[in-house]
């Protein structure tokens, strides 16, 4: 009697434990280093984590505050022989050296199986591949040439239409100035000034000039009258910012638009998070969004995950392959990007549930002619820094002339590699 | 003589771990840093030697030259300002004022605040549209201007203000300890002779405080050479590149700009400069003292 009872109990325990044991064996933990620590960002990355766990993985979160810190942590771990399963970088050339030194897993197997080359816009795919092999999973597209404006402030200043040309933009800025508000909420940090410069160069000079300058390092293009015009348009904006702008963070500038102290802000679509948090969804009744005026183009930035080699082989482990696949599946893409403020990196996802600004962005990106890679894709971090130095010096020096800026800029482009 | 040599082995053994740490962790990393500065390292350190190319680039970089100049300006004004204000505060407290403990705490308090917080607070105070300028204008003095932090030519002095505010309390504490060590009889004698107080401070007390001044200068100079957090929080090197300092230059290239070669070249130059400035002083303070001690 007691013997059979024991046996029953033992069997029960076995049955109860067996699925657990099987699961523990299957789900290999995958540690992921990323820098998404703010509210909206954390919610976005949780989508990936939950989807990965649901697909049978085990997400181990390692959020490091600050982009530089997160990258440094990842690089130290990779070089030190204790790499994480995946690590975040910005889309572009930041991980060139890791590929060059053979430290990253080649994701071509997953990429071919999932058909990434067909569903990801060309410039993004190019930024994630080296010699035709995928070494990174791009997961979002951030538009960097957005213009967010306070609709009440615009109405009070008597601006009816959203400016679609630079002449109209400056006319609107004059009206804002006359109405007694700060026309442009300017973020006075070098990287912010540089992305506005990129946006102006694209709008005034067009995509071909932009690519000639930054991709082809064409000095003739730098010395062309069209480049000079773009520089002058950029310089004209100096008259429309407030004296407190140097050093201002982008979200403080956004707060000025939210509070109605300023008319508009030129910033990437990550600013949407700030507007949403203030209850003023861009594209809604209070805040409008439009792309920078002038020639069309969507300046694309974004984030990728790289997968360091965890073994002797070049291929990713099963957990890494699963994570890579999960990051790009349509549901993850849609839900992640809704929270992140960016747009999905796959253009085949049904995005009708996204916000109006994202819809505009997606419509732009679906046409390859509008896809413009930002400087992160085209320049090394070193050269990008030198471009930022030149732009911020030009912006912050009262009375700096366009001619000497073009000379300095040409010097930077000449030594670019 | 030979006997005492043998006895010296035990302390040497005891010190060996410390010696190893010094050799490998300090000297070793310095040598490694200098080596890397001769290579073409970008994101990762590699052993691709390219000679002095990084140094050539460094000294043709206007931003680096500016950062060196800024360091000199900031260093002289910051050390000088902290010494003068610190000494004045100490002399003031030394007059046996009431609430001495409270005042001492108040003056020393800023030193307990990190440079990051100092920088952030002063960034708000000096911001023309939020801080002191806006408040004074709000009170009716509409032509009042205090916008150094956004003026290219003046921003470095804004850094000096914040730095002096933070560090003069430390100098005060050191100086006060020194002042308390001054013999009461000296004061009595000076009073009998009818020497004015300021004259006693200048001609008698300050020379007595020389070791304290040297200590303060060393502590402040260390803060100058590694000035990074204050700059990042207050101006982030701006407006433009106006307040770039060597440490920020190095950090930029080490992390954001992924050029370890150039970053290590810049830090090697910093290292050699500090060594060159320090060597005569070290010689003066230690070797001479040692020799004097030997004679005695």
């Amino acid at each position: 009697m007691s013997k059979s009872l024991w046996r029953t109990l033992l069997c029960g325990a076995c049955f109860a434990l067996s699925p657990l044991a099987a699961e523990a064996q299957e789900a290999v933990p995958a540690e992921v280093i990323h820098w998404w620590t703010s509210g909206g960002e954390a919610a976005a990355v949780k989508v990936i984590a939950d989807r990965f766990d649901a697909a049978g993985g085990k997400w181990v979160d390692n959020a490091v505050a600050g982009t530089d810190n997160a990258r440094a942590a990842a690089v130290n771990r990779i070089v030190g022989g204790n790499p994480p399963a995946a690590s975040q970088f910005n889309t572009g050339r930041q991980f060139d050296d890791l590929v060059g030194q053979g430290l990253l897993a080649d994701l071509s197997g997953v990429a071919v199986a999932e058909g990434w080359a067909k569903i990801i816009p060309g410039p993004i795919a190019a930024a994630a591949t080296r010699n035709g092999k995928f070494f990174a999973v791009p997961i979002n597209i951030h538009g960097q040439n957005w213009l967010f404006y306070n609709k009440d402030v615009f109405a009070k200043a008597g601006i009816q239409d959203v400016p679609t040309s630079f002449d109209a933009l400056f006319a609107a800025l004059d009206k804002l100035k006359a109405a007694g508000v700060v026309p442009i909420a300017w973020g006075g940090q070098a990287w912010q000034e540089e992305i506005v410069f990129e946006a102006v160069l694209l709008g005034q000079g067009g995509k071909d000039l932009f690519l000639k300058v930054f991709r082809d390092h064409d000095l003739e293009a730098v010395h062309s009258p069209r480049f000079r015009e773009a520089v002058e348009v950029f310089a004209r904006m100096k008259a429309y910012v407030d004296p407190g702008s140097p050093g201002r963070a982008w979200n403080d500038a956004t707060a000025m638009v939210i509070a109605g102290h300023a008319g508009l802000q030129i910033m990437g679509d990550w600013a949407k998070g700030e507007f949403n948090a203030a209850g003023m969804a861009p594209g809604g009744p209070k805040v409008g969004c439009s792309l920078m005026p002038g020639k069309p183009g969507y300046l694309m930035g974004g984030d990728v995950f790289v997968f360091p080699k965890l073994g002797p082989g070049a291929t990713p482990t099963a957990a890494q392959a699963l994570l890579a696949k999960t990051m790009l599946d349509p549901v993850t893409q849609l839900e992640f990007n809704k929270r992140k403020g960016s747009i999905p990196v796959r253009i085949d996802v049904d995005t009708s549930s996204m916000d109006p600004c994202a819809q505009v962005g997606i419509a732009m990106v679906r046409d390859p002619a509008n896809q413009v890679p930002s400087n992160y894709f085209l320049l090394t971090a070193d050269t990008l820094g030198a471009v930022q130095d030149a732009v911020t010096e030009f912006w912050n020096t009262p009375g700096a002339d366009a001619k000497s800026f073009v000379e300095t800029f040409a010097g930077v482009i000449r030594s670019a590699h | 003589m030979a006997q005492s040599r043998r006895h010296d082995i035990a302390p040497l053994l005891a010190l060996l771990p410390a010696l190893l740490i010094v050799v490998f962790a300090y000297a070793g990393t310095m040598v490694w840093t200098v080596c890397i500065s001769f290579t073409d390292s970008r994101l990762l350190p590699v052993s691709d030697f390219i000679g002095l190319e990084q140094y050539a680039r460094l000294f043709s970089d206007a931003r680096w030259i500016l950062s060196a100049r800024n360091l000199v300006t900031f260093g002289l004004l910051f050390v000088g300002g902290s010494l003068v204000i610190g000494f004045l505060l100490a002399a003031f407290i030394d007059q046996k004022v009431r609430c001495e403990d409270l005042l001492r705490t108040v003056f020393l308090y800023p030193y307990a605040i990190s440079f990051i917080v100092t920088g952030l607070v002063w960034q708000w105070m000096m911001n023309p549209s939020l801080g002191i300028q806006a408040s004074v204008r709000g009170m009716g003095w509409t032509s009042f201007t205090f916008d150094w932090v956004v003026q290219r030519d003046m921003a470095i002095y804004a850094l000096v203000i914040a730095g002096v505010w933070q560090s003069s309390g430390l100098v005060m504490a050191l100086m006060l300890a020194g002042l308390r060590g001054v013999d009461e009889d000296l004061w009595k004698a000076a009073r009998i002779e009818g020497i004015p107080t300021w004259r006693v401070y200048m001609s008698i007390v300050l020379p007595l405080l020389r070791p304290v001044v040297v200590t303060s200068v060393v502590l402040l100079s260390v803060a100058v050479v590694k000035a990074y957090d204050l700059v990042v929080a207050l101006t982030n090197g701006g407006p433009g590149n106006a307040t770039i300092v060597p440490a920020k230059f190095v950090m930029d290239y080490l992390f954001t700009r992924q050029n370890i070669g150039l970053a290590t070249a810049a830090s090697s130059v910093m290292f050699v400069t500090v060594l060159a400035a320090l060597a005569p002083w070290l010689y003066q303070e230690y070797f001479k003292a040692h020799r004097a001690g030997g004679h005695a």
Side-chain angles (χ1 to χ4, degrees):
Chain A
M1 188 66 185
S2 78
K3 217 175 192 176
S4 75
L5 181 71
W6 269 114
R7 199 173 293 153
T8 320
L9 277 176
L10 209 63
C11 273
C14 280
F15 277 117
L17 281 175
S18 59
L20 270 180
E23 213 170 68
Q25 223 167 20
E26 252 174 52
V28 186
E31 184 189 353
V32 184
I33 296 182
H34 61 88
W35 59 74
W36 286 321
T37 49
S38 82
E41 290 172 344
V45 77
K46 196 169 177 299
V47 170
I48 305 180
D50 290 347
R51 297 273 306 162
F52 179 56
D53 286 351
K58 189 165 184 295
W59 176 280
V60 179
D61 197 74
N62 187 354
V64 180
T67 55
D68 287 345
N69 299 338
R71 279 194 296 264
V75 169
N76 285 343
R77 291 267 307 270
I78 294 169
V79 174
N82 177 27
S87 179
Q88 184 188 2
F89 280 81
N90 285 119
T91 315
R93 299 186 58 177
Q94 282 173 357
F95 51 94
D96 273 4
D97 263 20
L98 293 177
V99 178
Q101 298 287 315
L103 295 165
L104 298 183
D106 174 7
L107 302 166
S108 299
V110 191
V112 170
E114 299 286 312
W116 287 356
K118 274 172 269 160
I119 52 173
I120 297 174
I124 306 268
T129 51
R130 302 288 184 273
N131 297 324
K133 292 176 182 167
F134 271 90
F135 282 100
V137 179
I139 66 163
N140 58 3
I141 303 173
H142 272 301
Q144 299 190 352
N145 54 335
W146 281 100
L147 203 152
F148 297 99
Y149 56 96
N150 186 314
K151 287 186 175 171
D152 287 344
V153 175
F154 262 42
K156 266 184 216 144
I159 304 163
Q160 272 97 35
D161 303 313
V162 188
T164 51
S165 69
F166 278 101
D167 287 338
L169 177 66
F170 282 109
L173 292 175
D174 282 329
K175 282 184 185 166
L176 288 165
K177 206 174 185 177
V181 294
V182 179
I184 307 177
W186 189 265
Q189 293 168 331
W191 69 270
Q192 298 188 60
E193 288 158 358
E194 200 273 339
I195 66 167
V196 176
F197 178 74
E198 278 182 57
V200 171
L201 181 60
L202 175 63
Q204 180 70 29
K207 181 181 172 180
D208 58 328
L209 180 70
F210 185 94
L211 289 178
K212 264 188 198 158
V213 170
F214 287 123
R215 186 187 62 194
D216 308 334
H217 307 154
D218 178 350
L219 290 175
E220 234 169 82
V222 175
H223 286 108
S224 68
R226 273 164 72 205
F227 184 82
R228 178 78 172 268
E229 276 165 28
V231 173
E232 276 156 6
V233 167
F234 179 67
R236 265 178 83 185
M237 289 184 176
K238 287 188 196 184
Y240 300 97
V241 306
D242 63 313
S245 62
R248 183 181 289 142
W250 69 266
N251 48 347
D252 292 334
T254 311
M256 290 170 70
V257 178
I258 291 171
H261 297 151
L264 61 89
Q265 182 186 16
I266 302 160
M267 191 36 62
D269 53 13
W270 49 86
K272 287 196 290 190
E274 295 287 310
F275 288 111
N276 286 332
M280 298 170 79
K286 292 201 172 136
V287 169
C289 57
S290 87
L291 288 164
M292 276 292 270
K295 300 192 171 67
Y298 198 70
L299 255 179
M300 301 187 297
D303 303 280
V304 298
F305 278 92
V306 300
F307 295 77
K309 278 183 191 168
L310 290 179
T315 50
T317 63
Q320 285 179 319
L322 178 67
L323 182 56
K325 198 179 141 199
T326 310
M327 282 174 172
L328 274 185
D329 87 23
V331 180
T332 316
Q333 277 291 304
L334 184 64
E335 294 305 317
F336 170 83
N337 283 296
K338 270 185 189 170
R339 286 163 183 77
K340 184 72 176 67
S342 41
I343 60 174
V345 78
R346 350 178 9 151
I347 39 185
D348 59 341
V349 172
D350 173 23
T351 48
S352 50
S353 60
M354 295 190 80
D355 67 83
C357 306
Q359 304 284 356
V360 174
I362 291 155
M364 288 291 285
V365 169
R366 289 217 164 111
D367 179 0
N370 291 328
Q371 299 168 354
V372 186
S374 77
N375 273 348
Y376 281 91
F377 294 24
L378 302 172
L379 304 177
T380 60
D382 194 358
T383 308
L384 179 58
V387 171
Q388 288 172 347
D389 287 346
V391 171
T392 189
E393 274 296 294
F394 176 63
W395 178 265
N396 286 289
T397 309
D401 77 312
K403 195 169 169 242
S404 63
F405 170 72
V406 170
E407 287 309 317
T408 315
F409 194 88
V412 172
I413 294 299
R414 199 178 299 123
S415 55
H417 39 81
Chain B
M1 218 35 187
Q3 229 172 359
S4 73
R5 276 273 159 79
R6 210 177 304 145
H7 282 299
D8 284 349
I9 291 176
L12 193 69
L13 269 179
L15 284 175
L16 195 65
L19 190 73
L20 286 179
I21 290 174
V22 168
V23 168
F24 288 103
Y26 290 90
T29 46
M30 280 177 204
V31 171
W32 188 81
T33 302
V34 175
C35 285
I36 292 296
S37 73
F38 296 114
T39 67
D40 189 21
S41 301
R42 308 204 141 270
L43 176 64
L44 306 171
V46 295
S47 43
D48 223 351
F49 287 92
I50 53 164
L52 290 169
E53 227 170 87
Q54 302 284 15
Y55 290 89
R57 181 177 160 192
L58 185 67
F59 283 101
S60 62
D61 189 333
R63 201 158 159 265
W64 170 252
I65 305 294
L66 179 63
S67 75
R69 225 170 40 212
N70 278 340
L71 189 74
V72 173
T73 314
F74 174 75
L76 290 178
L77 292 173
F78 168 74
V79 173
S82 302
L83 280 180
V84 170
I85 293 182
F87 177 70
L88 290 178
L89 289 175
F92 162 67
I93 285 190
D94 198 36
Q95 306 309 307
K96 315 261 177 332
V97 289
R98 226 178 275 169
C99 321
E100 187 198 307
D101 287 348
L102 176 76
L103 285 174
R104 218 170 40 203
T105 313
V106 168
F107 294 148
L108 193 55
Y109 218 86
Y111 194 68
I113 299 173
S114 70
F115 263 141
I116 282 281
V117 177
T118 306
L120 213 57
V121 169
W122 279 95
Q123 188 212 332
W124 291 329
M125 301 226 298
M126 296 204 264
N127 184 311
S129 45
L130 312 167
I132 299 172
Q133 178 178 312
S135 330
V136 174
R137 284 190 181 181
M139 284 186 277
W141 184 1
T142 48
S143 63
F144 178 82
T145 307
F146 180 57
D147 58 355
W148 287 7
V149 80
V150 298
Q151 297 289 333
R152 289 174 53 81
D153 310 332
M154 302 306 282
I156 189 80
Y157 304 113
L159 282 176
V160 172
I161 293 180
V164 167
W165 176 82
Q166 204 253 9
S167 295
S168 37
L170 171 77
V171 178
M172 178 215 66
L174 291 170
M175 294 269 192
L176 191 59
L179 285 177
R180 290 286 146 87
V182 173
D183 196 342
E184 274 295 307
D185 290 345
L186 275 178
W187 282 106
K188 282 178 194 155
R191 223 167 287 140
I192 292 166
E193 298 285 338
I195 305 171
T197 316
W198 67 268
R199 195 63 211 273
V200 181
Y201 272 116
M202 293 308 289
S203 304
I204 301 171
V205 175
L206 261 183
L208 282 174
L209 289 185
R210 193 176 164 276
V212 179
V213 174
V214 170
T215 310
S216 309
V217 170
V218 170
L219 287 176
L220 294 171
S221 305
V222 170
V224 170
V225 174
K226 55 179 202 182
Y228 171 73
D229 30 13
L230 181 67
V231 179
V232 167
L234 188 60
T235 62
N236 201 20
N241 294 318
T243 52
I244 182 80
V245 287
K248 176 155 164 48
F249 183 94
V250 170
M251 293 297 270
D252 281 352
Y253 281 96
L254 208 50
F255 295 107
T256 320
R257 299 189 178 185
Q258 301 183 350
N259 192 337
I260 295 183
L262 190 64
T264 49
S267 50
S268 301
V269 170
M270 278 175 80
F271 170 63
V272 170
T273 312
V274 169
L275 214 59
L278 224 56
W281 179 76
L282 278 175
Y283 179 79
Q284 174 88 9
E285 288 293 314
Y286 291 101
F287 288 85
K288 248 175 88 182
H290 188 251
R291 216 182 301 156
H295 280 298

